[in-house]
């Protein structure tokens, strides 16, 4: 993992907040299968962490929660970035031992394992190849979806999985959106540039990363936003310096996007109804 991608001036993804239908079941899944630790919890919510300090995932169970709705905008997956291939090796062996159904891909820039939680929320667990191995042409990074060399990954390490390592971060988030053009314009105002195009999808980043945000219309052009009490995405954090956040807010106002100042920074909503916290400081 190249540390420069997670320091200023990059804008990067912080924690993700999702609705679940059974908080106890979800905590058990995210601790046992994914390897999170519970940092804080209440009757209907839990804050999960890798290092015991920084929240990465927040689980909420609304009183009137309903199952995840199909063919809507919202979460495709959030992506947990491990600090090296040896950890992906241990994780792959761990989920195989627990008979967890997965998908797996080699994206050239990274190697990834895909899962879904008990509510159908998508999860990617991945490791990056060194950025010196990535190929760029005219501002676009070469990515693909090839079969994962699972045997090669397993051979990388024989260490037992002991949960997410402390250096784990939220690497990126991938969203279902209702259309791409206005959504791309919106994220441009937040400082992101398109670095890869796929059929029905585009991938955007800052600071030369392969992608911090994925956007797709695979649930259909014009897909509606889900109900607020549906299992799925509530909001996600983008981490900014104060100056970068102020610049982004000014640009959002030009395109008449809704922006609200909150205690940790600013809150906005993309054209597909996905809520984003532009965080400039953390409350302790």
């Amino acid at each position: 993992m190249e540390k420069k991608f997670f320091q200023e001036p990059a804008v990067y993804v912080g924690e993700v907040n999702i609705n679940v239908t059974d908080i106890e079941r979800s905590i058990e899944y995210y601790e046992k299968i994914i390897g999170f630790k519970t940092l804080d919890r209440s009757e209907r919510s839990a804050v999960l962490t890798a290092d015991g300090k920084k929240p990465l995932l927040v689980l909420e169970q609304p009183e009137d929660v309903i199952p995840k709705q199909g063919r809507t905008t919202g979460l495709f997956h959030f992506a947990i970035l491990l600090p090296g291939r040896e950890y992906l090796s241990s994780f792959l062996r761990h989920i195989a031992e627990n008979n967890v159904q997965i998908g797996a891909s080699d994206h050239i820039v990274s190697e990834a394992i895909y899962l879904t939680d008990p509510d159908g929320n998508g999860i990617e667990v991945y490791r990056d190849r060194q950025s010196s191995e990535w190929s760029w042409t005219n501002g676009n990074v070469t990515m693909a979806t090839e079969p994962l060399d699972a045997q090669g990954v397993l051979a990388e390490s024989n260490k037992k999985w002991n949960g997410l390592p402390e250096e784990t971060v939220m690497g990126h988030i991938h969203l279902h959106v209702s259309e791409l053009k206005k959504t791309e314009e919106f994220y441009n105002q937040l400082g992101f540039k398109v670095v890869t195009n796929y059929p029905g999808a585009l991938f955007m980043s800052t600071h030369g990363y392969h992608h911090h945000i994925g956007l797709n219309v695979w649930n259909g052009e014009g897909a509606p936003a889900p109900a607020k009490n549906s299992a799925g995405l509530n909001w996600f954090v983008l981490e900014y310096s104060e100056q970068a956040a102020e610049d982004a807010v000014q640009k959002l106002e030009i395109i008449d996007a809704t922006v609200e100042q909150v205690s940790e920074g600013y809150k906005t909503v993309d054209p597909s109804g996905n809520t984003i916290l532009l965080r400039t400081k953390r409350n302790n």
Side-chain angles (χ1 to χ4, degrees):
M1 176 167 51
E2 295 283 338
K3 291 293 186 180
K4 68 178 183 180
F5 295 126
F6 306 101
Q7 299 173 348
E8 293 181 358
V11 177
Y12 58 95
V13 181
E15 77 251 32
V16 174
N17 183 301
I18 60 174
N19 278 343
V20 299
T21 59
D22 184 329
I23 192 71
E24 297 295 342
R25 180 181 66 175
S26 292
I27 291 171
E28 181 180 6
Y29 175 86
Y30 280 104
E31 288 184 343
K32 178 182 177 182
I33 301 302
I34 306 301
F36 280 105
K37 303 176 183 72
T38 296
L39 181 63
D40 190 22
R41 70 154 301 173
S42 65
E43 182 181 359
R44 290 185 171 271
S45 68
V47 179
L48 306 183
T49 181
D51 65 2
K53 300 175 183 178
K54 182 178 179 179
L56 286 184
L57 182 67
V58 181
L59 309 176
E60 305 272 0
Q61 182 189 332
E63 290 188 8
D64 58 346
V65 67
I66 62 174
K68 187 175 177 66
Q69 296 176 293
R71 311 299 291 179
T72 62
T73 61
L75 184 69
F76 182 51
H77 63 243
F78 59 84
I80 300 163
L81 176 57
L82 302 177
R85 197 182 197 218
E86 66 273 23
Y87 296 102
L88 193 68
S89 176
S90 298
F91 180 72
L92 179 57
R93 185 174 298 103
H94 160 70
I95 57 176
E97 291 170 351
N98 282 274
N99 298 312
V100 178
Q101 185 175 356
I102 65 166
S105 296
D106 186 328
H107 294 302
I108 301 179
V109 295
S110 63
E111 293 179 304
I113 297 168
Y114 295 94
L115 313 89
T116 56
D117 78 2
D119 289 296
N121 294 305
I123 307 162
E124 176 181 343
V125 179
Y126 75 112
R127 74 97 181 180
D128 278 337
R129 288 191 168 90
Q130 291 293 321
S131 60
S132 59
E133 299 179 53
W134 305 351
S135 177
W136 292 84
T137 304
N138 297 324
N140 291 296
V141 65
T142 300
M143 293 176 61
T145 301
E146 304 290 345
L148 180 70
D149 177 12
Q151 292 306 314
V153 171
L154 288 171
E156 188 74 22
S157 173
N158 59 8
K159 291 184 178 179
K160 181 179 175 61
W161 177 250
N162 289 313
L164 294 170
E166 291 186 358
E167 301 88 350
T168 300
V169 297
M170 192 66 72
H172 63 267
I173 191 165
H174 193 153
L175 304 170
H176 290 297
V177 298
S178 57
E179 61 87 39
L180 291 177
K181 186 176 180 181
K182 287 183 180 179
T183 308
E184 177 185 347
E185 179 185 7
F186 174 87
Y187 285 99
N188 282 158
Q189 311 314 307
L190 295 181
F192 294 88
K193 296 180 179 179
V194 174
V195 290
T196 301
N197 287 276
Y198 271 27
L202 53 84
F203 297 86
M204 308 182 74
S205 77
T206 68
H207 204 56
Y209 193 51
H210 57 70
H211 71 291
H212 292 105
I213 297 174
L215 306 165
N216 75 67
V217 291
W218 299 335
N219 273 350
E221 292 271 359
K228 291 189 179 299
N229 61 332
S230 167
L233 181 67
N234 280 322
W235 46 262
F236 66 97
V237 168
L238 292 175
E239 302 279 4
Y240 283 81
S241 68
E242 289 193 19
Q243 184 59 56
E246 290 174 4
D247 292 344
V249 167
Q250 290 179 4
K251 292 177 181 178
L252 288 174
E253 289 172 345
I254 292 173
I255 62 171
D256 296 323
T258 300
V259 181
E260 174 188 356
Q261 189 162 10
V262 294
S263 60
E264 295 181 75
Y266 302 90
K267 184 168 70 174
T268 187
V269 180
D270 78 10
S272 298
N274 297 304
T275 300
I276 308 156
L277 173 61
L278 314 183
R279 185 163 60 196
T280 58
K281 55 183 177 295
R282 182 185 296 278
N283 288 335
N284 296 320

